[in-house]
Amino acid sequence: MSFMQVEDLKVHYPIRGGFFNTVVDHVYAVDGVTMEFDRGKTYGLVGESGSGKSTTGKAIIGLEKITSGRILYEGEDVTNARRKRDSAYNRDIQMIFQDSHSSMNPRKRVLDILAEPIRNFLKLSPQEERKRINELLAIVGMSEDVLLKYPHEFSGGQKQRLGIARAVACNPKMIIADEPVSALDLSVQAQVLNFMKDIQEQYGISYLFISHDLGVVRHMCDHISIMYKGRFVETGKREDIYTNPQHIYTNRLLSAIPDIEPETRIERKLERQQVEAAYRQEQHKYYDKDGKVYPLKSISDSHRVAMSEDEKERV
Ligand SMILES: Nc1ncnc2c1ncn2[C@@H]1O[C@H](COP(=O)(O)OP(=O)(O)OP(=O)(O)O)[C@@H](O)[C@H]1O
């Protein structure tokens, strides 16, 4: 039984223009996303830049206003509560970002950065608070020596560890990880990812793992949703997505994974070219989740699915 459901989530940004600065159109950043989450599992959200992944994550956690849709957490509608600072939802659902540096106040020491969520949600005594901070440092493999340092004194991988320590401070049920390792060197990426997996095993945390990198997602995720122009074009278990992709866009993403096997490189290049050619023919079309086809008005009009009835008639 899933502990959290996202139902038909939409985030549309108004585009203003003209002499009176009126709303002339919308960016359909997220346009009808539905998901559900089980305990201790990792859900991947994959798609190219601008497909709406980060907006989905931020809308779920309450950093973006939702145009329509619902979020249910442990049976309760938290769509509005998620914007209240001290709600249980805000304690239980945390987020880590690609750029952990800018998500930390550069003028605060590690001690205060880690204490902040504890002060907001757990209301411990000063001794208990300090004990919890030391526990958090131990969880992410750091010593107490770092407590009086500032964020700029750490490497990218260390900062991401601190970001994770802050996220797990109040025993969250889910962490939304938005490109958590994209800014790190490959060797550090592997360390942080494995370390995220260890924490998951220890504390039963679920992840919503946002990435454009299908290689990383394969390593991390149990379920994967492929996002394209604000919607999911395909959702499935990891094995199904990688071995039997149904949507041409998924195929295109998969064929773009860099090939490390020299023997299959040429074969893969030809395959990639075929998929690219097919994709070029397909990119004026939009497939909804039931496989129904709609024409896209133009490529630049990328978030709009043709809406008018007579256009739908013509398809
Ligand atoms: N505040 C905003 N106002 C208007 N449009 C926005 C705003 N934030 C995001 N968008 C647009 O919404 C779309 C989805 O953006 P989003 O950042 O969610 O994509 P993404 O898949 O996470 O891409 P990336 O991997 O590059 O971060 C993009 O077209 C983006 O330009």
Side-chain angles (χ1 to χ4, degrees), residues 13 27 29 47-56 64 179 212 303:
Y13 296 111
V27 176
E48 57 196 4
S49 189
S51 53
K53 309 179 297 292
S54 296
T55 309
T56 303
E64 286 291 345
E179 303 272 10
H212 63 276
H303 285 90

Side-chain angles (χ1 to χ4, degrees), residues 3-4 6 35-39 41 43 57 60-61 73 89-95 167 171-177 204-209:
F3 69 100
M4 180 164 149
V6 173
M35 310 182 83
E36 52 180 49
F37 303 98
D38 282 338
R39 283 265 148 77
K41 299 271 184 229
Y43 297 82
I60 292 175
I61 204 163
Y73 177 60
Y89 180 77
N90 272 345
R91 182 194 60 212
D92 292 350
I93 315 295
Q94 294 290 321
M95 188 157 183
N171 303 314
K173 304 285 185 300
M174 183 160 91
I175 295 180
I176 299 175
I205 298 169
S206 305
Y207 288 120
L208 175 59
F209 193 91

